[in-house]
Every structure is written in structure tokens, then in C-alpha cells.
Amino acid sequence: MKRISLAIHGGAGTLVKGMMTAELEVQYKAALKLALDEGYKVLEQGGTAIEAVEVSVKLLEDSHLFNAGRGSVFTADETHEMDASIMDGKTLNAGAVSLISNIKNPVSLARDVMENSEHVFLAGEGAMKFAKDQGYELKPTDYFYDEFRHKQWLEIKDTDSFQLDHSVKKDSKFGTVGAVACDVNGNIAAATSTGGMTNKRYGRVGDSPMIGAGNYANNNTCAVSCTGSGEYFIRGVVAYDVSCLMEHKDLSLLDAANDVINKRILEINGDGGLIAVDAKGNIAMPFNTEGMYRACKSSTGEEEISIYKE
Ligand code: ASP
């Protein structure tokens, strides 16, 4: 049997000691474990990488702990605008949505764009219209209310600044979620979902829904899901950069992912991390921040659920 693998993340960033309580840490790890186990079960039962990454990301979106789906941060207008994307490494099909609201699981809408539309990327009102045509029910806005996120927003709402959910020292919450998987047939896939940045405005969109920047999958190289300061990840075309280093420089998954996160993106001041798998089931989870919520599991017995640098 071929090696199956799954890796997930719940955001990378700075975590000030003392902000994270032992209790909260247990909650985060439990949420990661649930998403990991359920996604992995899909792979074990012979499901596809696409199915597995959707299952894992949906569970992370359903948790208020992460900045995606239910736990999405507040925009400058005190609303939630969510972005998500998904990509199939076997076919290079992809789907993405941006600036959507009241949708419980943005990653599923991204998958519907991939499978049930002729397009790759739908945004704003148009994406919402597509969701309606696909039969999506809208969640009431208070489903997305989280006291901590609201407090984060209140602190900067009258300023011009917008902030990464996890980049400010006093912030104990990380953000964006993602999953990458390699299934029993050696097909790989990636999915990413986020509420973006606190106090964002002007229709700001980060890297998460952008194929090549925050999310990418290609059976010949790797599947990648990123988290970090989106503006830098877009400019670094980070997810595709990992793939390019493998394709054109013949680097291994680990070397390519490390090179991008610990060198290339740092050179333009980008902070964050990524998770990646290749079609042999190898896993990489580098980050250049203090921590990254992350977990992985593979049929070789590898299993990890961590937050900080070991
Ligand atoms: N990359 C996301 C964005 O810029 C944020 C994050 O990873 O937390 O929208």
C-alpha cells in the first residue's frame, strides 16, 4: 500500500508566553486532533485527497478558535469577509472564493466553484449569488461572533491599521486554517480558509484564496497551504515557489519548503509558515514565527500535534 499522509495548520504567528493558558492549549490541540483524525479517516478508507482536505478544513472552520469560518476576524465595518481555496494536484483543477459572508464552510463553496462552475475564482456578491444557486443556507451573523475577536477589533477600529490575526505581540490567537493530503493513489490536494486580517477594508484580499500564493497542488511536485502576512505571501508567490524549486531545481519537499519559509520569504520580510506534502507522502511544516498550530499523520506511523518550535 502506498503511503497516505495528512497535514493541517491553524495559523502561524507570534505567541506571547503567558497569554496561552494550559486550558486553552488543550482546547487547541483537541480541535487540531479532531480535524486531523477525521481527515485521516477519509484517506484510510480510500477517499481522495480532495475529500480529506475538505473534511479537515471544515472542522477547523467550525471551531471558534481559528480565524476561518465561525471564528473569522472582524473587518473595519464590523463584518466578516471570508476567503477560501482548494486545489486538486491530479487535475490541476482549482476553486476559490473571496469576500464572502454568512457561509458556514467557505472551503465547500470553493470546492463547488471548482466542480460546479466554469470558473476558478468568484468574489463578493457574485460568489454569494453562486452560493445561493448551489443551495447554500446563510448562517445568521451572530454565528460568527466571537468575544475575543471583537475585542481585538475594538482595540484598533479607529485607526488606519489592520492586523494579522496573530502578528501583534499581545495577541494569543493564531489564524488561518489549511490542510494538505496525499491519498492512497498518490494524488495530492491542498485547501486553505481564512477570515483575513482584523480591521481590513477596501475589499482587502490576502493570499489564502489565491492559487499559487497561499494554496497550490500539483501531483508532480507538492501540495501547499500557507499562513502568514498575506501581502508578502502574495508577492513571494509562496505556494508555487515551493513547487517551482522542486520542479526546476530538483529540491526535495523539505528543502524547497524550508528554503522558501526560512530564506526567500524572510528576505522580503514575510512572516508565517506553510504545510506541504508530496505525492510520496512526505510532509514538511516549516514556519519562521514563534509558533504554528499544526498537526500531521501518515501511514508510516508519523504523528505530531504541536504549537511552538520544538
Ligand atoms: N494569510 C492570511 C491573510 O493574509 C492570514 C493568516 O494566515 O492568518 O489573509
Side-chain angles (χ1 to χ4, degrees), residues 164 166 175-176 194 196-197 204 206-208 227-230:
L164 192 59
H166 42 72
T176 296
T194 189
M197 297 175 86
R204 182 264 182 191
D207 60 314
S208 309
T227 170
S229 44

Side-chain angles (χ1 to χ4, degrees), residues 9-12 67 83 164-166 174-177 192 194-197 200 204-209 214 226-231 233-234:
H9 73 77
N67 172 20
D83 307 329
L164 192 59
D165 179 50
H166 42 72
F174 291 24
T176 296
V177 306
T192 307
T194 189
M197 297 175 86
K200 64 182 181 178
R204 182 264 182 191
V205 177
D207 60 314
S208 309
C226 300
T227 170
S229 44
E231 277 63 16
F233 277 62
I234 293 170

